[in-house]
Amino acid sequence: MKNFKQNSTTYLSESGTVYHADTCRELVSAVKREKVEFQAFARGTYPGKRLGDFTNGLNSIGYWSANDQQDWGLDWHRNEGMEFHFLESGSMPYSTDNIEMELMPGDFTITRPWQEHKVGNPIVGIGRFYWVIIDVGVRRPHEQWVWPDWIILTEADLNKLTLLMRQNERPVWKASPEIRDCFKQIHKVVQKEDVQEVESKIRIYINELLIHLLALLDTGKMELNESLTDSVRSAKQFLAELTNHLNYPWTIEKMAKSSGMGVTRFTHHCKQITNLTPMQFLTLKRLDLAKKMLKNDLGKTATQIAYECGFASSQYFTTVFKKVEKVTPNEWRDNAKANSEMVA
């Protein structure tokens, strides 16, 4: 296997256009505004704690987790390496080669070096989203891929994997259980403060990921579970209808019964779909409705709105509202009114 050498993060296309690797400015801004949970190890222009030479060639590895709809997205951009995404929970608008789709829990994407893609439209969905970017030394499509020298696949396996990925026209796959496990391990290691503590583990998990990816691409099989799909559909339908009945005194048991399943299965599917527990999701939707009413129903007090949205008491409503919005309901209403008057 050839030794890997870090190259420039630019790509000159055949048309003469110079492309620069993405810097994730929108994500960095969202993190600063405390819109998302974010953990990553990175090098170069990518955000995150700095990677060392022991993982040279790995440009970024990490995840973000969002519990409500985001007002940002990563517009059309390119990365200098192979990029793998995995959506563990929630949903995520995703586009590549002008094909728009929505990623669902368990979806795994493969993006070739310098292949244009977009995450969000520009709204980014709720969920936990992982990525791994490995630089294979390619600055033009015809160039030979040079993998980092710590990739331990045999030459035959690595050549097969490279061929399959270079010619892969299918952007989204259903992750195998083994691939999902790799990302769960990645979730643990990127939360460490000192990269030197976990660089060996990072190398192991990425090698495991590539081995399982080769098996997935080589067979072309997709994991399907019809019974699970049916119950997921039921949970999604209930959660969509929940917004029309927010003032009902829901408990998790009542929610599970209304969706036609047990508490454990319903909770599992809810976390898959929304990245939240059922009661967290209910509270978030009640807060969304409360903010609309605070802004538009000026004749109603915050206490009236609290009860109409399903909160058991005005005190609890104020506590939850301030925890999320950092201001009380009345302060939020005053700020919204002032902003509206400025626009007018």
Side-chain angles (χ1 to χ4, degrees), residues 162-182:
T162 301
L163 179 65
L164 289 170
M165 288 198 295
R166 289 186 71 170
Q167 297 183 358
N168 172 56
E169 296 295 336
R170 179 176 167 183
V172 180
W173 298 71
K174 187 62 68 175
S176 66
E178 294 82 6
I179 288 176
R180 288 199 297 267
D181 287 343
C182 285

Side-chain angles (χ1 to χ4, degrees), residues 63-337:
Y63 74 93
W64 81 60
S65 184
N67 289 337
D68 54 11
Q69 293 286 342
Q70 301 292 300
D71 59 358
W72 59 277
L74 299 176
D75 204 356
W76 290 107
H77 64 282
R78 303 170 190 267
N79 298 103
E80 72 284 358
M82 283 300 307
E83 183 166 16
F84 308 109
H85 294 126
F86 173 66
L87 185 66
E88 181 179 42
S89 60
S91 61
M92 188 71 63
Y94 182 82
S95 304
T96 184
D97 294 333
N98 294 318
I99 302 174
E100 296 185 359
M101 63 204 81
E102 184 160 342
L103 303 181
M104 300 305 293
D107 281 348
F108 177 75
T109 75
I110 301 172
T111 307
R112 297 185 299 275
W114 303 105
Q115 184 177 11
E116 194 172 32
H117 58 287
K118 178 173 70 170
V119 179
N121 62 350
I123 301 300
V124 176
I126 293 170
R128 179 174 288 168
F129 193 58
Y130 297 83
W131 66 88
V132 174
I133 303 176
I134 304 175
D135 194 338
V136 290
V138 175
R139 295 301 174 264
R140 291 177 174 80
H142 66 275
E143 293 178 341
Q144 181 181 0
W145 287 18
V146 181
W147 291 85
D149 56 12
W150 46 267
I151 300 299
I152 62 171
L153 277 69
T154 66
E155 184 175 359
D157 281 346
L158 198 55
N159 287 341
K160 181 186 290 186
L161 178 63
T162 301
L163 179 65
L164 289 170
M165 288 198 295
R166 289 186 71 170
Q167 297 183 358
N168 172 56
E169 296 295 336
R170 179 176 167 183
V172 180
W173 298 71
K174 187 62 68 175
S176 66
E178 294 82 6
I179 288 176
R180 288 199 297 267
D181 287 343
C182 285
F183 281 101
K184 288 180 180 180
Q185 296 302 325
I186 287 170
H187 176 257
K188 294 178 182 178
V189 299
V190 297
Q191 296 185 69
K192 298 291 185 180
E193 288 299 322
D194 187 355
V195 66
Q196 292 183 346
E197 293 181 14
V198 292
E199 275 194 303
S200 294
K201 290 184 177 180
I202 290 174
R203 285 169 54 149
I204 291 171
Y205 296 144
I206 289 179
N207 275 286
E208 286 186 7
L209 176 64
L210 295 178
I211 290 169
H212 298 313
L213 176 60
L214 175 59
L216 179 70
L217 295 178
D218 202 21
T219 61
K221 294 181 179 178
M222 297 183 67
E223 181 191 25
L224 297 175
N225 185 330
E226 293 184 4
S227 62
L228 181 62
T229 302
D230 290 342
S231 56
V232 168
R233 187 182 298 116
S234 297
K236 288 183 68 175
Q237 183 177 0
F238 171 80
L239 294 172
E241 295 173 352
L242 184 63
T243 55
N244 298 321
H245 307 281
L246 292 175
N247 62 349
Y248 183 78
W250 291 107
T251 63
I252 189 170
E253 290 79 12
K254 290 179 180 179
M255 296 170 77
K257 184 177 180 180
S258 294
S259 66
M261 62 191 77
V263 170
T264 300
R265 172 165 285 194
F266 174 71
T267 300
H268 171 74
H269 290 331
C270 184
K271 292 187 74 172
Q272 267 200 321
I273 296 165
T274 70
N275 203 37
L276 299 169
T277 66
M279 298 310 294
Q280 288 173 332
F281 180 77
L282 175 63
T283 299
L284 178 65
K285 291 303 178 182
R286 284 172 169 170
L287 286 174
D288 287 343
L289 177 60
K291 286 189 287 185
K292 291 179 182 178
M293 295 180 69
L294 285 167
K295 185 176 182 180
N296 300 320
D297 297 345
L298 301 181
K300 293 182 178 179
T301 66
T303 298
Q304 289 175 308
I305 291 173
Y307 288 119
E308 290 187 24
C309 292
F311 289 94
S313 70
S314 59
Q315 292 83 359
Y316 178 67
F317 170 57
T318 299
T319 299
V320 173
F321 194 100
K322 191 171 183 179
K323 182 178 180 180
V324 175
E325 297 297 330
K326 315 304 181 187
V327 293
T328 67
N330 285 326
E331 289 171 338
W332 189 93
R333 171 180 265 175
D334 291 339
N335 292 338
K337 183 179 179 181

